[in-house]
Every structure is written in structure tokens, then in C-alpha cells.
Short mmCIF file of all heavy atoms in Angstrom, two decimals:
data_model
loop_
_atom_site.label_atom_id
_atom_site.label_comp_id
_atom_site.label_asym_id
_atom_site.label_seq_id
_atom_site.Cartn_x
_atom_site.Cartn_y
_atom_site.Cartn_z
N GLY A 28 20.36 -11.29 64.56
CA GLY A 28 20.03 -12.21 63.48
C GLY A 28 18.55 -12.44 63.33
O GLY A 28 18.00 -12.38 62.21
N THR A 29 17.85 -12.65 64.46
CA THR A 29 16.42 -12.85 64.42
C THR A 29 15.67 -11.59 64.01
O THR A 29 14.77 -11.61 63.16
CB THR A 29 15.91 -13.29 65.80
OG1 THR A 29 16.65 -14.44 66.24
CG2 THR A 29 14.44 -13.61 65.79
N VAL A 30 16.02 -10.46 64.62
CA VAL A 30 15.35 -9.19 64.32
C VAL A 30 15.45 -8.82 62.84
O VAL A 30 14.46 -8.51 62.20
CB VAL A 30 15.92 -8.07 65.20
CG1 VAL A 30 15.38 -6.71 64.77
CG2 VAL A 30 15.60 -8.32 66.68
N PHE A 31 16.67 -8.89 62.31
CA PHE A 31 16.85 -8.51 60.91
C PHE A 31 16.29 -9.54 59.93
O PHE A 31 15.92 -9.19 58.81
CB PHE A 31 18.32 -8.19 60.62
CG PHE A 31 18.74 -6.83 61.09
CD1 PHE A 31 19.29 -6.64 62.33
CD2 PHE A 31 18.55 -5.72 60.29
CE1 PHE A 31 19.67 -5.37 62.79
CE2 PHE A 31 18.93 -4.47 60.71
CZ PHE A 31 19.48 -4.28 61.96
N SER A 32 16.21 -10.78 60.35
CA SER A 32 15.55 -11.78 59.53
C SER A 32 14.05 -11.47 59.42
O SER A 32 13.47 -11.59 58.34
CB SER A 32 15.75 -13.20 60.13
OG SER A 32 17.10 -13.59 60.05
N PHE A 33 13.45 -11.05 60.52
CA PHE A 33 12.05 -10.62 60.47
C PHE A 33 11.87 -9.40 59.58
O PHE A 33 10.91 -9.32 58.82
CB PHE A 33 11.54 -10.32 61.88
CG PHE A 33 10.96 -11.50 62.62
CD1 PHE A 33 11.52 -11.96 63.80
CD2 PHE A 33 9.84 -12.15 62.11
CE1 PHE A 33 10.99 -13.03 64.45
CE2 PHE A 33 9.30 -13.26 62.75
CZ PHE A 33 9.87 -13.69 63.95
N ILE A 34 12.78 -8.46 59.69
CA ILE A 34 12.71 -7.27 58.83
C ILE A 34 12.81 -7.67 57.38
O ILE A 34 12.06 -7.17 56.50
CB ILE A 34 13.84 -6.28 59.21
CG1 ILE A 34 13.59 -5.69 60.60
CG2 ILE A 34 13.95 -5.18 58.17
CD1 ILE A 34 14.74 -4.83 61.11
N ALA A 35 13.73 -8.59 57.09
CA ALA A 35 13.89 -9.07 55.72
C ALA A 35 12.61 -9.74 55.22
O ALA A 35 12.19 -9.51 54.05
CB ALA A 35 15.06 -10.04 55.63
N LEU A 36 11.99 -10.54 56.04
CA LEU A 36 10.75 -11.17 55.64
C LEU A 36 9.63 -10.17 55.38
O LEU A 36 8.83 -10.33 54.46
CB LEU A 36 10.31 -12.20 56.71
CG LEU A 36 11.20 -13.44 56.84
CD1 LEU A 36 10.65 -14.34 57.96
CD2 LEU A 36 11.24 -14.23 55.54
N LEU A 37 9.57 -9.13 56.21
CA LEU A 37 8.58 -8.10 56.00
C LEU A 37 8.78 -7.37 54.66
O LEU A 37 7.82 -7.03 53.98
CB LEU A 37 8.61 -7.08 57.16
CG LEU A 37 8.15 -7.60 58.53
CD1 LEU A 37 8.31 -6.52 59.59
CD2 LEU A 37 6.66 -8.03 58.45
N ILE A 38 10.06 -7.14 54.32
CA ILE A 38 10.39 -6.49 53.04
C ILE A 38 9.87 -7.35 51.88
O ILE A 38 9.29 -6.83 50.91
CB ILE A 38 11.88 -6.27 52.92
CG1 ILE A 38 12.35 -5.20 53.93
CG2 ILE A 38 12.28 -5.85 51.50
CD1 ILE A 38 13.84 -5.03 54.00
N ILE A 39 10.04 -8.69 52.00
CA ILE A 39 9.62 -9.60 50.95
C ILE A 39 8.09 -9.69 50.92
O ILE A 39 7.47 -9.56 49.87
CB ILE A 39 10.21 -11.00 51.19
CG1 ILE A 39 11.73 -10.96 51.01
CG2 ILE A 39 9.60 -12.01 50.25
CD1 ILE A 39 12.20 -10.64 49.64
N ILE A 40 7.48 -9.89 52.09
CA ILE A 40 6.03 -10.13 52.14
C ILE A 40 5.24 -8.92 51.62
O ILE A 40 4.28 -9.04 50.86
CB ILE A 40 5.60 -10.45 53.59
CG1 ILE A 40 6.16 -11.82 53.97
CG2 ILE A 40 4.07 -10.43 53.73
CD1 ILE A 40 5.96 -12.14 55.45
N TYR A 41 5.68 -7.70 52.01
CA TYR A 41 4.95 -6.49 51.63
C TYR A 41 5.54 -5.79 50.43
O TYR A 41 5.06 -4.73 50.02
CB TYR A 41 4.88 -5.54 52.83
CG TYR A 41 4.04 -6.07 53.98
CD1 TYR A 41 4.63 -6.61 55.11
CD2 TYR A 41 2.65 -6.08 53.89
CE1 TYR A 41 3.87 -7.14 56.15
CE2 TYR A 41 1.87 -6.59 54.93
CZ TYR A 41 2.49 -7.11 56.06
OH TYR A 41 1.74 -7.62 57.07
N GLY A 42 6.58 -6.39 49.86
CA GLY A 42 7.19 -5.78 48.67
C GLY A 42 7.69 -4.39 48.90
O GLY A 42 7.58 -3.50 48.03
N ILE A 43 8.26 -4.14 50.07
CA ILE A 43 8.74 -2.79 50.44
C ILE A 43 9.95 -2.40 49.54
O ILE A 43 10.92 -3.15 49.43
CB ILE A 43 9.15 -2.74 51.92
CG1 ILE A 43 7.93 -3.08 52.79
CG2 ILE A 43 9.72 -1.39 52.29
CD1 ILE A 43 8.27 -3.26 54.25
N HIS A 44 9.85 -1.23 48.97
CA HIS A 44 10.96 -0.71 48.17
C HIS A 44 11.98 -0.02 49.06
O HIS A 44 11.66 0.91 49.80
CB HIS A 44 10.48 0.27 47.10
CG HIS A 44 11.59 0.94 46.38
ND1 HIS A 44 12.37 0.29 45.46
CD2 HIS A 44 12.05 2.25 46.45
CE1 HIS A 44 13.28 1.13 44.98
NE2 HIS A 44 13.11 2.32 45.56
N VAL A 45 13.20 -0.56 49.04
CA VAL A 45 14.28 0.03 49.83
C VAL A 45 15.01 1.06 48.97
O VAL A 45 15.42 0.75 47.86
CB VAL A 45 15.27 -1.05 50.32
CG1 VAL A 45 16.43 -0.43 51.09
CG2 VAL A 45 14.54 -2.10 51.15
N PRO A 46 15.14 2.30 49.43
CA PRO A 46 15.84 3.32 48.64
C PRO A 46 17.22 2.88 48.19
O PRO A 46 17.92 2.16 48.95
CB PRO A 46 15.93 4.52 49.61
CG PRO A 46 14.79 4.32 50.55
CD PRO A 46 14.65 2.83 50.71
N ASP A 47 17.64 3.28 47.02
CA ASP A 47 18.91 2.81 46.46
C ASP A 47 20.11 3.12 47.34
O ASP A 47 21.04 2.31 47.46
CB ASP A 47 19.12 3.42 45.06
CG ASP A 47 18.19 2.82 44.04
OD1 ASP A 47 17.64 1.73 44.29
OD2 ASP A 47 18.00 3.44 42.97
N PHE A 48 20.12 4.28 47.99
CA PHE A 48 21.30 4.65 48.78
C PHE A 48 21.40 3.74 50.00
O PHE A 48 22.52 3.40 50.44
CB PHE A 48 21.27 6.12 49.16
CG PHE A 48 20.28 6.49 50.24
CD1 PHE A 48 20.66 6.55 51.59
CD2 PHE A 48 18.96 6.78 49.91
CE1 PHE A 48 19.74 6.88 52.55
CE2 PHE A 48 18.04 7.13 50.89
CZ PHE A 48 18.43 7.17 52.24
N ILE A 49 20.25 3.33 50.56
CA ILE A 49 20.27 2.39 51.68
C ILE A 49 20.68 0.99 51.20
O ILE A 49 21.47 0.30 51.83
CB ILE A 49 18.89 2.34 52.37
CG1 ILE A 49 18.57 3.68 53.03
CG2 ILE A 49 18.86 1.23 53.43
CD1 ILE A 49 17.22 3.72 53.72
N LYS A 50 20.14 0.61 50.05
CA LYS A 50 20.48 -0.69 49.50
C LYS A 50 21.99 -0.80 49.22
O LYS A 50 22.62 -1.81 49.51
CB LYS A 50 19.69 -0.92 48.20
CG LYS A 50 19.85 -2.34 47.62
CD LYS A 50 19.18 -2.45 46.28
CE LYS A 50 17.70 -2.18 46.33
NZ LYS A 50 17.03 -2.43 45.00
N THR A 51 22.56 0.27 48.69
CA THR A 51 24.00 0.26 48.42
C THR A 51 24.81 0.15 49.71
O THR A 51 25.76 -0.63 49.79
CB THR A 51 24.41 1.59 47.69
OG1 THR A 51 23.69 1.65 46.48
CG2 THR A 51 25.90 1.62 47.44
N ALA A 52 24.41 0.89 50.73
CA ALA A 52 25.13 0.86 51.99
C ALA A 52 25.07 -0.54 52.64
O ALA A 52 26.12 -1.07 53.07
CB ALA A 52 24.57 1.92 52.95
N VAL A 53 23.86 -1.13 52.72
CA VAL A 53 23.76 -2.43 53.37
C VAL A 53 24.43 -3.53 52.54
O VAL A 53 24.98 -4.49 53.10
CB VAL A 53 22.29 -2.79 53.65
CG1 VAL A 53 21.67 -1.81 54.62
CG2 VAL A 53 21.44 -2.89 52.39
#
């Protein structure tokens, strides 16, 4: 929970584009 929350925050902070196929899977 903590690790993926940090990953999520990094995605938001740096505006990381997640590929559509990964986005669909998750």
C-alpha cells in the first residue's frame, strides 16, 4: 500500500504518462 501510493504520487507529481495497455490492465 505504501510503495504503490508513493508510485502513484510520483505519477501525479511528474505527470508521467502511463501506456494505455498498462492503464487498462491495472
Side-chain angles (χ1 to χ4, degrees):
T29 305
V30 171
F31 280 93
S32 292
F33 270 119
I34 292 173
L36 290 179
L37 291 176
I38 291 173
I39 293 295
I40 292 171
Y41 293 103
I43 299 171
H44 172 72
V45 178
D47 288 341
F48 74 95
I49 294 179
K50 188 187 299 185
T51 300
V53 296

